[in-house]
Amino acid sequence: KTIAIVGCPFSGGQPKLGVDKGPIHLVEAGLISQLEELGWKVSFDGHHQFESIATEDDPPIGILKNPRLVSRVCESVAQVVGAHAKNGQLPLTLGGDHSLAMATLSGTLSTYPDACVIWVDAHADINTVESTDSGNIHGMPVSFMLGIGQKVDEFSWVKPLLKPERLVYIGLRDLDAGEKRILKENNIKAFSMHEVDKYGIGKVVEMALDAVNPKRDLPIHLSFDVDALDPSVAPSTGTPVRGGLTFREGHYICEAIHETGLLVALDLMEVNPFLADSESVRQTVAVGCSLVRSALGETLL
Ligand SMILES: N[C@@H](CC/C=C/[B-](O)(O)O)C(=O)O
Ligand SMILES: [Mn+2]
Ligand SMILES: [Mn+2]
Ligand SMILES: [Mn+2]
């Protein structure tokens, strides 16, 4: 099978400069040859250029920031991811901020309507137009994909392709009040850091899969926000939250998902190489590459 790398230098879903450089650093760290060494064919036709997406006038809609930019970029990336998936390739989307998940999930779910989504993150990214406090759209992609909350014309292209029973979270520890309510109201399965502590990561991954993929017969889309990891492990990211996953816990999730043989799409999001000293940036990029390798078949033995 071929991996199609979708490099998305995009930062419009959040305010910090630098996350658009994440994909460049991940590729420059040698990710492509690392994947080829694992036996994959890798197709990469250069990072996407979003400058052409004119947004001369993009005032907030309500408090949503850069709404037209985020919408247009995600709509174009959704086509790309969808095309790769339809071609039988495995789209590997390198972010870029997590608003891009509107694109990746749209692309995957349009090809694999029964796919389940494993969302590894400190945050739920499920704020609606009504519940967001920041207006940063990287905190909202899941609500758009579920089709919940007040509709925004600009995002009318986003189809509610994700069903709550096909979504599960691992690593949550920083939710807004509105998000806690939304998770409960929609009966969405979530394994926070409390459950990771209580049961251990092995049991948590098993329970997460049991929740959304009980017969292990559904395709899996893994959306991994590096801020799920403890900041000591992945420091160079825009919204770090202490008390996160260890290096091994993060890798175990990826290894276990690879073992299912069901992975059809992978996102590695929120690496921001501008936010730390060069050693911390190098460390964060290296962890990103390592997680991707683990999700795509690298084993310890
Ligand atoms: N919940 C906060 C934080 C959002 C974090 C997004 B991230 O998971 O993509 O880092 C917000 O809505 O602004
Ligand atoms: Mn973020
Ligand atoms: Mn996220
Ligand atoms: Mn996050």
Side-chain angles (χ1 to χ4, degrees):
K1 202 168 181 184
T2 300
I3 294 170
I5 292 188
V6 184
C8 293
F10 183 65
S11 63
Q14 55 80 63
K16 294 184 178 174
L17 294 179
V19 69
D20 55 318
K21 301 289 183 263
I24 294 148
H25 282 245
L26 289 161
V27 169
E28 276 177 5
L31 184 57
I32 295 172
S33 52
Q34 292 164 22
L35 295 175
E36 287 169 338
E37 266 148 50
L38 285 176
W40 291 93
K41 256 178 73 34
V42 181
S43 100
F44 176 56
D45 41 17
H47 296 294
H48 286 264
Q49 310 295 329
F50 300 125
E51 286 70 32
S52 60
I53 296 186
T55 54
E56 57 293 335
D57 188 19
D58 192 8
I61 296 175
I63 65 166
L64 268 55
K65 297 171 190 151
N66 312 318
R68 296 161 195 79
L69 175 66
V70 173
S71 177
R72 290 174 199 167
V73 165
C74 285
E75 190 170 18
S76 74
V77 174
Q79 309 292 331
V80 171
V81 171
H84 286 309
K86 283 183 182 55
N87 286 342
Q89 298 171 318
L90 193 158
L92 165 56
T93 302
L94 304 177
D97 73 66
H98 223 164
S99 64
L100 287 161
M102 273 185 280
T104 63
L105 295 189
S106 294
T108 299
L109 290 164
S110 62
T111 307
Y112 303 98
D114 286 341
C116 63
V117 175
I118 299 180
W119 193 283
V120 183
D121 202 326
H123 312 92
D125 297 358
I126 200 170
N127 274 306
T128 59
V129 171
E130 300 94 328
S131 74
T132 179
D133 296 325
S134 67
N136 295 329
I137 299 177
H138 75 155
M140 306 175 72
V142 180
S143 78
F144 283 106
M145 290 310 301
L146 291 168
I148 58 176
Q150 182 192 328
K151 298 292 166 279
V152 181
D153 289 352
E154 192 61 41
F155 290 88
S156 56
W157 65 270
V158 185
K159 301 296 171 248
L161 299 170
L162 179 59
K163 296 183 272 302
E165 60 273 17
R166 290 281 166 79
L167 168 66
V168 64
Y169 288 100
I170 300 176
L172 299 185
R173 55 188 184 278
D174 182 18
L175 267 55
D176 299 327
E179 293 183 299
K180 292 180 178 175
R181 192 179 61 248
I182 292 166
L183 291 186
K184 286 192 184 65
E185 280 166 3
N186 292 275
N187 197 19
I188 292 170
K189 219 50 206 129
F191 295 92
S192 73
M193 290 309 298
H194 178 82
E195 282 71 41
V196 172
D197 295 337
K198 180 175 182 177
Y199 300 112
I201 195 66
K203 186 73 186 147
V204 161
V205 174
E206 187 187 337
M207 292 189 285
L209 288 169
D210 288 347
V212 294
N213 206 338
K215 298 206 217 67
R216 303 295 191 273
D217 59 349
L218 300 177
I220 296 173
H221 180 128
L222 171 60
S223 197
F224 203 118
D225 183 328
V226 292
D227 71 32
L229 299 167
D230 189 80
S232 64
V233 177
S236 206
T237 188
T239 46
V241 185
R242 59 188 174 178
L245 297 168
T246 64
F247 180 94
R248 275 302 314 154
E249 287 167 340
H251 283 78
Y252 180 83
I253 296 168
C254 295
E255 291 157 3
I257 288 172
H258 172 72
E259 274 177 342
T260 67
L262 296 166
L263 186 71
V264 294
L266 173 59
D267 313 330
L268 197 278
M269 313 309 277
E270 299 282 356
V271 170
N272 183 333
F274 282 19
L275 296 179
D277 61 273
S278 62
E279 178 48 29
S280 298
V281 169
R282 194 204 55 73
Q283 174 193 1
T284 306
V285 171
V287 162
C289 291
S290 183
L291 288 166
V292 167
R293 295 196 306 270
S294 294
L296 295 172
E298 185 173 76
T299 55
L300 298 182
L301 290 178

